Amino acid sequence: MSDIQKYPIKERQIGDWSNVAELIDFKIVRTIKGGLLGTAMADVLFIYKKKFNQSDVQQKRLHLYGEEGIVFKRSLDVISRKKNSYQRHQMMDKFTDEFNLTKFTTNQTTSPGTLLGRAIENTGYTARQFAEKTGLKAPTLYHHVSGGREISREIAMEYADKLNCDPVDLMFDKKICPVWAKVDLLKPTELEDVYRPGRLFSYAIEDKDFENVIVPRDLYREDIKAIKICARGSMYDNKIAFYYRAETKEDNILNQLCVVGVEVPVGPAEFTNDTETRYYFGLYEEVRGECNLINPDPYVDVYKNKFILKNFEPQFITPVAALVNPDAVKDQTDLKKTIPHSALFRKEEMLAAELEKTKRLLREKEKTELDYGDVIKETKAQAKKIAEETKNIHDEFVKKEKQLQEEMKKISEAIQKQMYEEKTKQKINLFQKIADKKSNLKLVGVGRKRWSGN
């Protein structure tokens, strides 16, 4: 079975692999993929002995990246190939110790090129496909991913705009810390002791078993701590509470969610003076000089579990800096499975502003229509009346036009008849005159004839 089939992780051979070289060193980096309680990932780089006249770029190296458990097994498999038995066992022990020690290291030094490559992988595209989709130059992108060229602030911002993520995440590793305790606000938790609602309890024996949580960069400090609320049915269920370590009572904590420490004896006073610090989570109040810690869940039984601590003497009190829902906080690059054209990118704030503007215009339009409703109705009635009058005028005009055409036709016929009669009369008169002339001519001729015979 091949390594790729046996270990479903990312493996990349760097440098010259044409020759056999001895494994001499390794480097380990831890990251978290996804949201606040995302999958713990491991980043391991194996370094082999450099040959004579071989440059740093040509030096043989093996890069592994994937889920921490699988990467750990694959790393041991790589180390087991060392021929020297003593050196093999020595490196295995060293690797195992360092792998566990770097579990919660927050000052990681993953290169920007590696971070950019992972962000592109999370989109579901290869570097070449990503370059084609976004219009970037493939050779330039390859040099940035491989580490051949440095990624400047401006370049990181350009890539972040295409990936829809924070530019800082392309240059620096995420800040993480362990969730060191959990708390139930609704019911007791039975472990080695009975933890009443509101009391913090440890859920892991060793550090390696703690859950990791990504800390928002604005909140991160070296002394930040995180707890998880596990109370099924509660509005706080699965929330992560961030707070800063304190040794005294902080200021401005009244009526705020807090983590408090209380010193209590571990046994009867007559047998021992030993004490232990117990930790609680709740809403802090001061009433008539008494310090109370109230259960913040609104559905808690007010008669049984309303007060987590009543009239207590705090060893320290620190306010909760942020309460975050890990299911709602996801990396943009992990959610983005397709890369649309860059012209289609939209900012959520811009969309919200446009939506609000549209709603405001719609409300103004509805108000205007309501104020001028009667005017619009009256105008419509007038328009209807004018339309009816116009139709009547048009019908009357058509009717008169038809009558006028008929009268003009009659007049035309009368004129034609009169002209015909006049022409006929003229012809008759003309024929009459001609007949008269002929008659006169005949009479004159006859008289002459008669006169010559006598």
Side-chain angles (χ1 to χ4, degrees), residues 20 78 100 105 152 185 228 232 238 287 302 334 384 442:
V20 178
V78 173
N100 292 328
T105 301
S152 64
L185 297 175
K228 184 177 181 180
R232 186 176 180 180
N238 203 38
V287 179
V302 295
D334 189 43
K384 184 178 180 180
K442 287 182 179 181

Side-chain angles (χ1 to χ4, degrees), residues 134 161-164 336 339-347:
T134 56
D161 185 57
K162 303 294 185 182
L163 289 165
N164 195 21
K336 200 169 185 62
I339 306 291
H341 192 271
S342 58
L344 300 178
F345 286 152
R346 291 289 184 269
K347 301 296 184 182

Side-chain angles (χ1 to χ4, degrees), residues 132-385:
E132 293 175 353
K133 290 285 183 180
T134 56
L136 297 171
K137 295 181 179 179
T140 303
L141 178 61
Y142 170 77
H143 287 301
H144 285 150
V145 172
S146 63
R149 294 181 184 176
E150 292 185 359
I151 299 178
S152 64
R153 175 178 175 272
E154 291 73 18
I155 294 175
M157 293 177 65
E158 180 181 355
Y159 283 133
D161 185 57
K162 303 294 185 182
L163 289 165
N164 195 21
C165 67
D166 191 343
V168 179
D169 292 336
L170 299 180
M171 303 187 72
F172 304 98
D173 290 288
K174 294 182 181 297
K175 299 296 184 180
I176 62 174
C177 74
V179 178
W180 77 271
K182 297 183 179 181
V183 61
D184 194 330
L185 297 175
L186 298 181
K187 60 182 181 180
T189 302
E190 296 184 4
L191 297 173
E192 81 288 348
D193 193 4
V194 177
Y195 291 80
R196 295 185 294 105
R199 181 183 170 187
L200 304 185
F201 60 88
S202 179
Y203 61 95
I205 299 176
E206 299 182 10
D207 290 347
K208 65 182 183 66
D209 297 325
F210 282 129
E211 296 178 1
N212 291 333
V213 60
I214 296 176
V215 183
R217 295 186 186 275
D218 293 340
L219 297 176
Y220 181 78
R221 282 179 6 192
E222 289 294 335
D223 60 343
I224 196 166
K225 290 181 173 292
I227 62 173
K228 184 177 181 180
I229 304 169
C230 299
R232 186 176 180 180
S234 170
M235 62 180 292
Y236 295 101
D237 184 40
N238 203 38
K239 300 295 189 300
I240 301 295
F242 292 103
Y243 68 96
Y244 302 109
R245 183 178 181 276
E247 296 181 355
T248 59
K249 183 178 178 181
E250 299 287 337
D251 298 329
N252 301 321
I253 58 175
L254 290 178
N255 301 318
Q256 291 192 43
L257 290 174
C258 298
V259 174
V260 304
V262 180
E263 190 174 1
V264 297
V266 295
E270 58 269 18
F271 293 104
T272 179
N273 294 325
D274 294 338
T275 60
E276 67 176 5
T277 301
R278 293 182 180 179
Y279 303 91
Y280 297 87
F281 168 79
L283 190 67
Y284 179 76
E285 71 168 9
E286 292 182 2
V287 179
R288 298 176 183 176
E290 294 184 355
C291 300
N292 299 323
L293 193 66
I294 300 175
N295 196 320
D297 193 284
Y299 299 106
V300 71
D301 190 335
V302 295
Y303 298 103
K304 295 182 179 179
N305 299 323
K306 177 182 179 181
F307 289 97
I308 298 174
L309 296 174
K310 193 171 183 180
N311 191 20
F312 70 99
E313 185 67 27
Q315 184 179 0
F316 73 86
I317 304 178
T318 179
V320 171
L323 192 66
V324 184
N325 181 5
D327 294 333
V329 181
K330 296 290 183 182
D331 284 346
Q332 295 292 342
T333 50
D334 189 43
L335 294 175
K336 200 169 185 62
K337 298 303 180 185
T338 57
I339 306 291
H341 192 271
S342 58
L344 300 178
F345 286 152
R346 291 289 184 269
K347 301 296 184 182
E348 185 178 3
E349 292 79 5
M350 295 175 62
L351 289 176
E354 288 294 332
L355 181 60
E356 187 63 28
K357 180 180 178 181
T358 303
K359 289 181 179 179
R360 185 174 66 254
L361 292 175
L362 183 60
R363 288 195 296 267
E364 292 177 356
K365 179 176 179 294
E366 292 176 350
K367 185 176 183 300
T368 303
E369 290 181 352
L370 183 62
D371 294 341
Y372 293 97
D374 296 337
V375 177
I376 293 174
K377 290 180 181 179
E378 184 178 353
T379 303
K380 289 182 178 179
Q382 291 178 355
K384 184 178 180 180
K385 183 178 180 181

Side-chain angles (χ1 to χ4, degrees), residues 1-13 29 33 39-46 62-79 81 95 99 118 121:
M1 182 180 293
S2 65
D3 292 338
I4 296 177
Q5 293 175 336
K6 186 176 180 180
Y7 300 101
I9 59 177
K10 295 282 184 179
E11 291 195 21
R12 186 161 62 104
Q13 295 179 346
V29 172
K33 180 181 179 181
T39 304
M41 310 294 285
D43 210 331
V44 177
L45 180 67
F46 287 105
L62 177 63
H63 178 235
L64 307 180
Y65 174 72
E67 193 273 324
E68 61 173 358
I70 302 177
V71 170
F72 180 77
K73 293 179 181 179
R74 172 60 176 149
S75 299
L76 294 181
D77 194 19
V78 173
I79 297 173
R81 297 175 182 177
F95 179 84
F99 195 90
R118 292 174 187 168
E121 289 177 2

